[in-house]
């Protein structure tokens, strides 16, 4: 399988490692800071507008941008059908056969997703995070490295759970919210806020 990465950044390097670990290959890195199309090493580089010229049935796309709102903006802008997107899962990740992982989603090394969880589209499950049983992780969420989402948790669209944060069982976290690194979330958290600390408290009423 060939991949086109949209966004040529630190996050895309980690995604490329996951793609290679599966024996697949990145053929193009598109980014709007490139104004013309050129070849660098084995890659075609250029602006996002050339994407349609590169697509075929052996090629999948991943939007390789860590910022959740930007990832969504680009998905809305390029308007690809869902079959154009790949799902990248590092071979060291453990995914329950009763869980589902959506399109455009990347699952980094040593991630665990346990039984009956639903992970939607364009999600980042970053290095060594844990999504326990019966969780719902909506589209454009980022679960940062080593964060732990315990059983029955719901994380709504576009929210980021910071590195090493943990979320107590059955807690619901709203849309486009930020949970600070190392926080422990003990109660439901609404949409569009920033919450930090142990236990997590809201410090800002504007989201991501
Ligand atoms: C592969 C990768 O790199 S993936 C990247 C993963 N990234 C992360 O996990 C980073 C998550 N980001 C954070 O934790 C950030 O600190 C945020 C987003 C929660 C807050 O950032 P900002 O909005 O810039 O807030 P700011 O730094 O001004 O802090 C505001 C207050 O909250 C406190 N605070 C900020 N973050 C935290 C935190 N994680 N835990 C506890 N307190 C915190 C600050 O000390 C400050 O307190 P004060 O007003 O008493 O001085």
């Amino acid at each position: 399988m060939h991949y086109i990465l949209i966004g040529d950044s630190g996050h895309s390097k980690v995604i490329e490692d996951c793609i290679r670990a599966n024996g697949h290959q990145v053929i193009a890195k598109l980014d709007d800071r490139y104004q013309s199309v050129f070849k660098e090493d084995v890659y075609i580089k250029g602006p996002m507008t050339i994407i349609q010229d590169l697509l075929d049935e052996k090629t999948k796309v991943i939007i390789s941008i860590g910022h959740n709102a930007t990832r969504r903006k680009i998905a809305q802008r390029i308007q690809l059908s869902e079959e154009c997107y790949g799902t990248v899962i590092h071979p060291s990740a453990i995914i329950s056969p009763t869980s589902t992982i959506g399109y455009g989603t990347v699952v980094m090394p040593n991630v665990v997703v346990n039984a009956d969880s639903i992970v939607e589209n364009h999600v980042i499950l970053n290095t060594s995070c844990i999504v326990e049983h019966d969780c719902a992780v909506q589209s454009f969420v980022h679960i940062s490295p080593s964060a732990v989402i315990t059983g029955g948790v719901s994380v709504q669209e576009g929210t980021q759970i910071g590195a090493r944060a943990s979320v107590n069982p059955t807690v619901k976290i709203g849309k486009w919210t930020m949970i600070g690194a190392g926080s422990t979330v003990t109660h439901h958290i609404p949409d569009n806020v920033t919450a930090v600390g142990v236990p997590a408290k809201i410090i800002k009423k504007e989201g991501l």
Side-chain angles (χ1 to χ4, degrees):
M1 183 71 68
H2 290 166
Y3 281 85
I4 299 167
L5 301 185
I6 298 185
D8 192 1
S9 63
H11 180 52
S12 70
K13 292 179 195 171
V14 184
I15 294 175
E16 183 169 12
D17 281 350
C18 295
I19 288 170
R20 284 204 188 123
N22 283 300
H24 299 150
Q25 192 190 346
V26 174
I27 57 158
K29 297 181 179 182
L30 307 184
D31 195 305
D32 276 352
R33 70 196 154 95
Y34 303 133
Q35 277 156 21
S36 59
V37 182
F38 60 101
K39 194 103 195 222
E40 190 175 274
D41 302 323
V42 295
Y43 309 107
I44 298 165
K45 294 196 172 188
M48 288 174 215
T49 45
I50 67 165
I51 193 156
Q52 292 294 349
D53 304 334
L54 301 174
L55 283 172
D56 61 31
E57 67 284 354
K58 283 190 311 198
T59 306
K60 297 286 183 194
V61 175
I62 297 287
I63 306 176
S64 306
I65 292 170
H67 187 258
N68 295 345
T70 307
R71 210 160 57 255
R72 182 178 66 164
K73 206 163 123 192
I74 288 171
Q76 287 169 340
R77 188 174 130 197
I78 59 178
Q79 289 289 320
L80 298 179
S81 62
E82 61 185 74
E83 309 80 62
C84 294
Y85 289 105
T87 300
V88 174
I89 301 177
H90 191 274
S92 63
I94 299 169
I95 314 285
S96 165
T98 59
S99 284
T100 57
I101 310 285
Y103 61 84
T105 288
V106 292
V107 180
M108 304 304 198
N110 296 322
V111 167
V112 177
V113 179
N114 272 338
D116 285 330
S117 283
I118 298 170
V119 178
E120 294 186 354
N121 312 315
H122 301 290
V123 169
I124 302 167
L125 297 185
N126 223 322
T127 313
S128 296
C129 76
I130 296 174
V131 175
E132 260 302 338
H133 60 87
D134 300 295
C135 288
V137 177
Q138 292 188 354
S139 297
F140 302 104
V141 161
H142 178 180
I143 312 289
S144 300
S146 295
V148 178
I149 306 302
T150 62
V153 163
S154 157
V155 184
Q156 295 190 334
E157 186 182 277
T159 282
Q160 180 171 358
I161 309 295
R164 283 203 177 275
S166 61
V167 183
N168 280 5
T170 72
V171 163
K172 291 185 186 3
I173 301 179
K175 297 178 206 168
W176 303 100
T177 270
M178 175 78 214
I179 304 298
S183 301
T184 299
V185 184
T186 56
H187 293 93
H188 299 335
I189 303 283
D191 299 347
N192 297 306
V193 300
T194 297
V196 303
V198 181
K201 298 254 190 315
I202 295 170
I203 57 161
K204 284 183 193 165
K205 297 221 164 146
E206 70 220 34
L208 294 169

